[in-house]
Amino acid sequence: MYDYYSKLKEPEITPIKAGFLFLICAVWVLTGLIGHDPWKPGEAYSFGLVYHIIQSHDWIIPTLAGEPYMDKPPLYYWTAALFAKALAPLLPLHDGARLATGFYTALTLLFVGLTGRELFGNDRGWPAAVILIGCLGMLVRAHEILTDNALLTGCAMMLYGYALSLRRAKLAGVFVGIGVGIGFMSKGFIAPMLFLLISIGLLLFRNWRTRQYFTTLAIALLCALPLFAVWPYVLYQRSPQLFTDWIWTRNIGHWFQFARAGDFHDSAYYLKALPWLAWPASPLAAWTVWEARKRVGQEAALQLLLVGFIAMLLVLSFVPEISDQNGLPMLLPIALLATAALTTVRRGAANALDWFGIMTFALVAILLWWGWAGLLLDNNAKITHWLKDYQPGFEPDFNTIPFLIAVIVSVLWVLLVWRVGRSVRRSLINWAGGIILLWILTMTLWLPWLDSGKSYRHMVDDLKENLPQTYNCIADVRIGDSQRAMLQYFGNITPRRRATGVCELLLVQGDRISKPIENEIGWDKIWEGSRKGDQTERFRLYRRVKEPELKQ
């Protein structure tokens, strides 16, 4: 499949270099997975679903704070619950659950590397993985408790299966089918839609209209069918109503309602966001497409990646929820297209990218060190005042081990950019090294500051201390899914929806300005609080005022 690119000279990756690149990938994957609470917004509600499985042992119905939450199938939640339970003696449940993300991210890098080798030659596997970890959009999302990471793994397996299909059709079908199944069991019908569009789109090119390709598709369907059928069937047996809620209200029907409404003002979001989400792979991918524009009709590798990207862009741009994390699958074909540019992009452009990265990462690293030192020393710099105002009540503390790790990594990064020469591949290694530097500095020096503002632990502890010793139940008004999950996890508090008329206490979520509840007559506010530094989100606790008893 890689006839054109295999003829281009590319330095061989020796075992020592491969070990170094493996170390880069491993450090990037593992950093930030443990040591902090579930963060708002995505991690909080995702972990709430995992926590329900751990507590109730109900593996069939995703449940959040006591209520069914049929938004997505539960494969990622299953995996996270298994990791959390297995590592519970060593790690808090949320840290153990987050290691499931590391598992899926590692699989994603593996299959991206295998796809790079299959499409462009044996020396393109490691560079493809390094390019992907260098994409800015992967940095935070690939370290959070999110089902999108399992979908990303499924899409990476699909692309590898397609790449393998013209050489080993049967094995390719297994990978495509399992990839589609993993994607379906992670986020519903997005992966099957991608499978349909990519499979049809490739038939536009003669390279793919072969018996081998149709064999791959047939085997893929056979392998995907069990994953499509087992959990939905068991769910239907448990509760036909919840099955309908999942398949129609939350998925297919939701898409139809979105299409009928015609509100597509966010559909161009990815066209504007991808240049920086996929940076620095995006300009290299654009160069590959431009340089190979006359060969697309002959190169099966380019056909696969272009069709894959277009299919992903179409499907993901017209789903009801558009966000950075939903766009992660599009980084896969972009990173692989960028891999093809390693031997075609001009040296001057590679050097410019390299120096831009070095100067940018050096400047940001200096700011991170300066801001951390300012907080610790309590100087009068403007940045220190801003950080204190943003996170009021935060008390910095010097921790020896995180400090030493930050110093060692900073020194190693300087040695890396000083010793590594200039080329396209080396500029990408320098960029990945810079990403890792900033991520480690953030997860060592700045983790306490971030955790203080993004965690609900302190707010829930404060609320729990102010609860009456006895009460029948707590009703909620406008409490979000993430907040309900953290109330249950940190405080064992489960507010009841639509129970204002029967509960003695009332917990209200709102902002600092608006009136908390429509009618405060009959309620006495006994507590008010929020996360540290949160200027918008406010919680208020009310107790029902008892009517005085009439004297006989």
Side-chain angles (χ1 to χ4, degrees), residues 13-24 126:
I13 296 181
T14 63
I16 294 177
K17 291 180 180 178
F20 173 69
L21 295 174
F22 172 81
L23 181 62
I24 286 179
W126 283 111

Side-chain angles (χ1 to χ4, degrees), residues 1-10 112-125 127-128 131 163 285 288-289 291-292 295 299-306 332-344 425:
M1 187 180 288
Y2 48 85
D3 291 342
Y4 172 81
Y5 293 97
S6 63
K7 297 175 184 177
L8 302 178
K9 293 183 179 180
E10 177 72 7
V112 165
L114 291 173
T115 307
R117 285 168 56 98
E118 189 65 30
L119 294 179
F120 305 117
N122 291 336
D123 292 322
R124 302 298 180 89
I131 290 173
T288 296
V289 175
E291 187 271 337
R295 302 195 311 273
E299 293 290 334
L302 297 176
Q303 294 162 5
L304 170 60
L305 298 180
L306 288 174
L332 301 174
I334 292 176
L336 289 164
L337 284 169
T339 305
L342 292 179
T343 49
T344 59
R425 178 189 289 177

Side-chain angles (χ1 to χ4, degrees), residues 281-292:
S282 49
L284 295 175
W287 166 257
T288 296
V289 175
W290 172 257
E291 187 271 337

Side-chain angles (χ1 to χ4, degrees), residues 171-190:
L171 181 61
V174 173
F175 281 116
V176 172
I178 295 176
V180 176
I182 289 175
F184 170 76
M185 284 296 296
S186 303
K187 287 205 70 172
F189 293 91
I190 290 177

Side-chain angles (χ1 to χ4, degrees), residues 270-449:
Y270 294 120
L271 294 177
K272 297 178 288 185
L274 277 175
W276 69 267
L277 285 174
W279 186 273
S282 49
L284 295 175
W287 166 257
T288 296
V289 175
W290 172 257
E291 187 271 337
R293 63 193 183 279
K294 296 181 180 178
R295 302 195 311 273
V296 172
Q298 293 77 42
E299 293 290 334
L302 297 176
Q303 294 162 5
L304 170 60
L305 298 180
L306 288 174
V307 169
F309 173 75
I310 293 171
M312 291 175 183
L313 180 62
L314 288 174
V315 171
L316 298 174
S317 294
F318 291 95
V319 298
E321 297 177 1
I322 294 178
S323 63
D324 294 348
Q325 65 197 51
N326 285 343
L328 288 179
M330 286 183 284
L331 300 183
L332 301 174
I334 292 176
L336 289 164
L337 284 169
T339 305
L342 292 179
T343 49
T344 59
V345 74
R346 294 168 183 167
R347 184 176 293 271
N351 289 340
L353 176 65
D354 195 15
W355 282 111
F356 171 76
I358 290 173
M359 299 304 293
T360 300
F361 292 127
L363 176 61
V364 177
I366 290 171
L367 289 175
L368 289 174
W369 275 106
W370 182 31
W372 172 80
L375 276 177
L376 192 66
L377 301 174
D378 196 18
N379 60 18
N380 291 319
K382 288 185 177 180
I383 188 173
T384 303
H385 289 299
W386 180 85
L387 290 168
K388 284 187 172 183
D389 292 339
Y390 191 80
Q391 215 60 292
F394 172 71
E395 294 295 334
D397 190 22
F398 180 81
N399 297 304
T400 304
I401 294 178
F403 171 75
L404 291 177
I405 293 174
V407 170
I408 292 171
V409 171
S410 299
V411 172
L412 290 176
W413 180 76
V414 172
L415 293 176
L416 174 68
V417 299
W418 177 46
R419 294 297 300 271
V420 174
R422 300 289 171 260
S423 70
V424 182
R425 178 189 289 177
R426 291 166 181 168
S427 67
L428 294 172
I429 293 174
N430 283 341
W431 182 277
I435 287 286
I436 293 172
L437 167 68
L438 299 188
W439 185 237
I440 291 179
L441 291 180
T442 302
M443 291 294 106
T444 51
L445 302 179
W446 287 92
L447 186 59
W449 186 82

